Amino acid sequence: MIIHETQVAPEWVDYNGHMNDAEYARVFSHACEALIDNIGLDEAGRAHYGYTIYTLETHLCYRREAHQGQALNVDLTLLDSDTKRLHVFLSMLDDEGNLLATSEQMLMGMKQASRRPSPFPEAVANRIAALPKADSGAWPELAGRTIGIRR
């Protein structure tokens, strides 16, 4: 499911002539905002439910360079969820379907007034249930990675 589309802005290009690493995080952040809107927690939904989403953890993996003006498409796969958390996997692709980067994220539903974790409102939970979900045995190859120096 393509959740976000954009292109590499000139100000995102660094001294190496490609998109700066921080800008990949920006694009994935905007994709998460699109997801949040998609599940009913846009500005009106947040006000109605007094509820929002926080990012708990992010793991970025850079696979190919992106260059000024290049189209970027972010695909969403829901890896797992429970009553108040979403484990999502985002893939950044170019127009030819080449994988540029991935972002695996853990998101938490929060009551705005208490700033404490809280179960998703029922209507939001129903929209989450309709998201494309990876089978537990068929996660994307880059999902669940750890970082470290292999010895």
Side-chain angles (χ1 to χ4, degrees):
M1 168 182 179
I2 299 296
I3 194 83
H4 181 64
E5 297 175 358
T6 191
Q7 66 180 32
V8 180
E11 61 273 16
W12 296 356
V13 177
D14 67 14
Y15 52 85
N16 290 315
H18 58 241
M19 191 162 83
N20 181 274
D21 61 337
E23 303 305 334
Y24 286 82
R26 175 195 307 267
V27 172
F28 285 125
S29 180
H30 288 191
C32 276
E33 288 174 10
L35 166 64
I36 290 165
D37 288 353
N38 182 276
I39 62 173
L41 290 174
D42 57 4
E43 186 176 352
R46 289 188 304 271
H48 175 76
Y49 297 114
Y51 195 88
T52 192
I53 301 282
Y54 284 10
T55 302
L56 300 179
E57 185 173 343
T58 299
H59 185 158
L60 286 169
C61 186
Y62 306 96
R63 305 305 284 180
R64 289 181 182 218
E65 296 177 1
H67 298 94
Q68 183 174 328
Q70 186 172 3
L72 306 173
N73 304 296
V74 181
D75 181 68
L76 167 76
T77 302
L78 180 63
L79 297 178
D80 199 3
S81 64
D82 64 14
T83 61
K84 57 189 172 190
R85 292 176 294 187
L86 299 172
H87 183 185
V88 300
F89 189 81
L90 303 163
S91 300
M92 184 184 300
L93 309 165
D94 65 16
D95 275 346
E96 284 104 38
N98 294 308
L99 182 63
L100 304 174
T102 63
S103 179
E104 187 173 353
Q105 300 191 19
M106 185 65 69
L107 309 172
M108 175 75 78
M110 308 287 274
K111 274 293 198 187
Q112 289 176 319
S114 66
R115 297 203 169 308
R116 302 291 304 154
S118 178
F120 296 114
E122 183 178 354
V124 172
N126 291 338
R127 299 214 38 196
I128 291 168
L131 292 173
K133 188 172 183 182
D135 292 330
S136 61
W139 278 15
E141 179 183 345
L142 296 174
R145 291 172 45 112
T146 59
I147 192 169
I149 298 173
R150 292 189 181 119
R151 304 218 188 262

